[in-house]
Amino acid sequence: MEGMWTRFFPTTRAVRKAVSEGAIGKVISMTASLGFKSEPEFNQRLFQPELAGGALFDVGIYPALWISAILGVPDKVTAHAKMIDTGVDSQTFCTFEYESGAMAHLQCAFTGCLPNEVLVVGETGYIRVKGPPQAPETYTIVTRQGDEPDPLLCRGMSTTVTTPLDPPHFGLAPGYNFVGSQGFRFEAAAVQDAIGKGLKEHPEMTLTETLAMAKVFDDIRAQIGLRYPWDDQDGESAAPSKRQRK
């Protein structure tokens, strides 16, 4: 669960519940992005392979976390990236495909500010989560009303729900290390609850999902050519699994 704090935010839980209850019908597609503009003098770690730099592992995990939360582990992944001189990716775009026919698009970068939002599209509506996606506070659900055709949802009903962080603060709250870090308390509470129940994993972030998504990221690494020094030290590289390029 470490690092997967986003899964336990009230907004994340509410969106997953709405989708599972059929609020927007069968999910057919998703887009999720997280990116910002950075320079080496601002954050050198992002540019250094020896410190596991690159956009994929720094910010790409959060859009991926959203996609797996809604659609599960993909059956096929296709990835493209912009690599820089140090050998890490400065931006990576991925397409996740599912046997159900659903597709998802992941974007991550430190070359510029992306939309930094999550969009879940269903057959009868959609849900938009406003950023930053790693610490979501607001989502809007738009649904079709009645049985009359409304292909563009021009007459759709829109509802916005906001669960502000405590203390509420736009940007970096005083006394906290980075944007949204007040929200770590939700994961801490989930861990406490699981331990109290004698669980060895939390049902909202299972070990099986964690391992499966780690293998997805191995697929992505292999496709974009992202390697770290310890790949050679271990005598192994990020090898594609059966999910890659079916």
Side-chain angles (χ1 to χ4, degrees):
M1 288 171 59
E2 194 283 323
M4 299 296 101
W5 56 312
T6 304
R7 184 64 62 88
F8 302 95
F9 273 66
T11 292
T12 309
R13 284 170 157 167
V15 170
R16 295 186 77 188
K17 184 173 185 291
V19 170
S20 67
E21 292 177 349
I24 58 174
K26 179 183 177 182
V27 175
I28 57 173
S29 69
M30 284 186 68
T31 58
S33 66
L34 180 55
F36 55 90
K37 176 63 175 175
S38 185
E39 302 291 348
E41 58 269 20
F42 171 69
N43 191 340
Q44 293 186 2
R45 180 187 61 78
L46 295 177
F47 299 81
Q48 297 176 329
E50 63 271 21
L51 296 178
L56 180 64
F57 281 95
D58 189 75
V59 292
I61 58 171
Y62 295 110
L65 183 67
W66 268 103
I67 293 170
S68 66
I70 302 298
L71 289 173
V73 178
D75 298 296
K76 180 181 178 181
V77 182
T78 306
H80 301 277
K82 171 68 174 177
M83 309 299 288
I84 59 176
D85 292 342
T86 61
V88 302
D89 62 309
S90 61
Q91 61 177 356
T92 294
F93 289 8
C94 306
T95 300
F96 291 5
E97 298 179 55
Y98 296 83
E99 290 183 356
S100 67
M103 300 180 70
H105 189 56
L106 177 156
Q107 302 178 15
C108 61
F110 53 75
T111 53
C113 185
L114 295 177
N116 294 331
E117 64 181 17
V118 178
L119 181 64
V120 186
V121 180
E123 292 181 332
T124 60
Y126 64 85
I127 300 174
R128 187 183 303 275
V129 181
K130 299 302 290 184
Q134 77 274 22
E137 296 183 67
T138 300
Y139 70 95
T140 299
I141 181 169
V142 179
T143 55
R144 187 175 66 195
Q145 299 302 297
D147 298 325
E148 299 255 344
D150 187 12
L152 295 179
L153 293 178
C154 296
R155 298 184 299 276
M157 179 179 178
S158 177
T159 303
T160 298
V161 179
T162 299
T163 306
L165 294 175
D166 183 20
H169 193 273
F170 183 75
L172 182 61
Y176 290 85
N177 293 326
F178 50 87
V179 175
S181 57
Q182 308 98 299
F184 272 110
R185 66 185 180 89
F186 301 122
E187 183 182 31
V191 170
Q192 183 180 33
D193 180 64
I195 292 174
K197 293 177 179 177
L199 302 178
K200 294 183 178 180
E201 64 178 2
H202 199 284
E204 293 178 68
M205 190 69 240
T206 65
L207 298 173
T208 299
E209 181 186 354
T210 299
L211 180 59
M213 288 306 294
K215 292 180 178 178
V216 167
F217 270 60
D218 279 347
D219 284 358
I220 296 171
R221 278 221 290 155
Q223 292 185 44
I224 67 177
L226 176 61
R227 294 181 58 83
Y228 294 118
W230 48 88
D231 290 330
D232 295 325
Q233 293 171 5
D234 294 340
E236 300 178 353
S237 62
S241 71
K242 294 180 181 179
R243 262 189 302 275
Q244 183 183 349
R245 294 194 179 99
K246 285 187 176 180

